[in-house]
């Protein structure tokens, strides 16, 4: 019995252990949404992609909020580190705390995790050839977000970008 595979999955697997641009005439894009629970699920999916050798299989990745951090670790070859951070660092009340309405999501702690506790390998991230975009929202127009290409930023500004794209609009 022959098992059929979705064409996108088949195209991704053909890119296993290759690096973009592959030159196969296709453009494969991944979109990762935000939200802490969506982020936890996304980190798990990216860990599976990494284990399958698909870290460099996507031409472009578009993210928002937690998708930005997930993609950062993924493109740095650290998807498992990111997935572990969700249950070790972001559970409990250190990051999210309803009893702290003035700072519901502690972005200082988020940056500390990405910088010191489970550091993102910025050298590998910025060496990635996958185009990496993140959405930020301007304070004067909270309805319309804009996408920024991460590789156009200086690695020294990475943590400012992490904070900006992870900020809650309210």
């Amino acid at each position: 019995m022959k098992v059929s595979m979705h064409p996108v999955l088949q195209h991704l697997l053909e890119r296993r252990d290759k690096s973009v641009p592959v030159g196969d005439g296709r453009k494969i894009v991944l979109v990762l949404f935000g939200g802490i629970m969506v982020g936890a699920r996304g980190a798990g999916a990216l860990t599976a992609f990494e284990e399958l050798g698909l870290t460099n299989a996507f031409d472009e990745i578009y993210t928002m909020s937690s998708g930005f951090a997930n993609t950062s670790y993924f493109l740095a070859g650290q998807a498992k580190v990111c997935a572990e951070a969700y249950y070790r660092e972001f559970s409990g009340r250190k990051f999210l705390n309803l009893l702290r309405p003035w700072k519901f999501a502690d972005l200082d702690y988020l940056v500390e995790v990405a910088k010191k506790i489970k550091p993102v390998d910025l050298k590998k991230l910025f060496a990635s050839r996958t185009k990496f975009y993140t959405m930020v929202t301007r304070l004067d127009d909270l309805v319309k977000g804009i996408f920024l290409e991460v590789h156009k930023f200086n690695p020294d500004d990475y943590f400012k970008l992490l904070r900006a794209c992870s900020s809650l609009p309210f």
Side-chain angles (χ1 to χ4, degrees):
M1 179 169 132
K2 184 178 179 182
V3 177
S4 63
M5 185 181 311
H6 192 280
V8 174
L9 184 56
Q10 184 176 348
H11 297 317
L12 273 173
L13 291 174
E14 289 169 6
R15 289 178 168 209
R16 182 181 291 163
D17 298 320
K18 295 181 181 173
S19 185
V20 294
V22 175
D24 60 5
R26 296 180 175 87
K27 182 175 184 178
I28 300 179
V29 176
L30 179 64
V31 178
L32 294 170
F33 294 98
I36 192 76
M37 292 312 295
V38 172
R41 184 178 60 220
L46 291 175
T47 299
F49 283 149
E50 187 175 282
E51 289 176 1
L52 288 170
L54 300 175
T55 301
N56 299 305
F58 298 95
D59 296 286
E60 298 176 2
I61 301 177
Y62 288 81
T63 69
M64 56 194 72
S65 192
S66 61
F68 174 79
N70 290 354
T71 299
S72 297
Y73 283 98
F74 174 65
L75 293 178
Q78 300 173 284
K80 283 183 182 178
V81 173
C82 181
E84 183 181 309
Y86 279 95
Y87 65 85
R88 293 210 188 272
E89 309 305 330
F90 300 126
S91 61
R93 292 192 175 135
K94 279 186 175 179
F95 178 57
L96 295 177
N97 189 343
L98 293 173
L99 301 175
R100 190 182 56 217
W102 62 93
K103 197 176 190 179
F104 170 67
D106 187 346
L107 297 181
D108 295 326
Y109 182 67
L110 172 69
V111 169
E112 181 183 341
V113 169
K115 195 183 265 190
K116 297 177 183 170
I117 299 171
K118 302 221 180 290
V120 177
D121 187 334
L122 295 179
K123 188 174 182 179
K124 284 185 180 179
L125 168 61
F126 279 89
S128 170
R129 297 181 70 190
T130 298
K131 289 190 181 228
F132 176 16
Y133 298 90
T134 190
M135 188 181 87
V136 294
T137 310
R138 293 174 25 173
L139 288 176
D140 62 345
D141 188 359
L142 294 176
V143 177
K144 187 171 106 179
I146 57 171
F147 282 92
L148 304 174
E149 211 278 306
V150 175
H151 288 98
K152 290 186 178 180
F153 284 81
N154 185 315
D156 294 337
D157 293 327
Y158 171 82
F159 296 103
K160 292 177 191 170
L161 192 56
L162 172 62
R163 179 183 294 278
C165 73
S166 301
S167 294
L168 301 172
F170 52 87

